Amino acid sequence: SIPKKAILTEGEEEIVFVAINEKTFRCQRIQTGITNADDVEIVRGLKPGEKVVTDGNFLLKSEELKSAMGAGCAD
């Protein structure tokens, strides 16, 4: 599971940003499962141990959209 605040939407899909290193991030589509007050189960799209962005992810999304011009996230 990951913090609920790490999840953004792109159209009808849910996405997160995965940290590759301190300055590089990858946009990733996910599928969620059970949700509680703070956390969300990830059914598909993340590997155990991958670190997701919880603060500043809206800024990353806007930068991703500008640079990709609608290319979207990885599957």
Side-chain angles (χ1 to χ4, degrees), residues 12-26:
E12 294 185 16
E13 297 182 311
E14 295 173 306
I15 63 170
V16 295
F17 284 90
V18 177
I20 295 171
N21 59 46
E22 289 182 21
K23 296 182 180 183
T24 307
F25 305 92
R26 170 178 48 87

Side-chain angles (χ1 to χ4, degrees), residues 8-50:
L8 299 170
T9 58
E10 183 178 79
E12 294 185 16
E13 297 182 311
E14 295 173 306
I15 63 170
V16 295
F17 284 90
V18 177
I20 295 171
N21 59 46
E22 289 182 21
K23 296 182 180 183
T24 307
F25 305 92
R26 170 178 48 87
C27 182
Q28 181 65 46
R29 288 185 182 101
I30 59 168
Q31 181 180 353
T32 58
I34 298 169
T35 301
N36 66 29
D38 300 315
D39 299 313
V40 178
E41 174 190 29
I42 303 302
V43 177
R44 182 183 57 84
L46 289 177
K47 296 176 186 168
E50 287 186 309

Side-chain angles (χ1 to χ4, degrees), residues 56-73:
N57 50 357
F58 285 107
L59 178 61
L60 285 171
K61 182 179 179 186
S62 67
E63 290 298 316
E64 175 84 12
L65 291 173
K66 279 195 284 187
S67 67
M69 293 301 288
C73 291

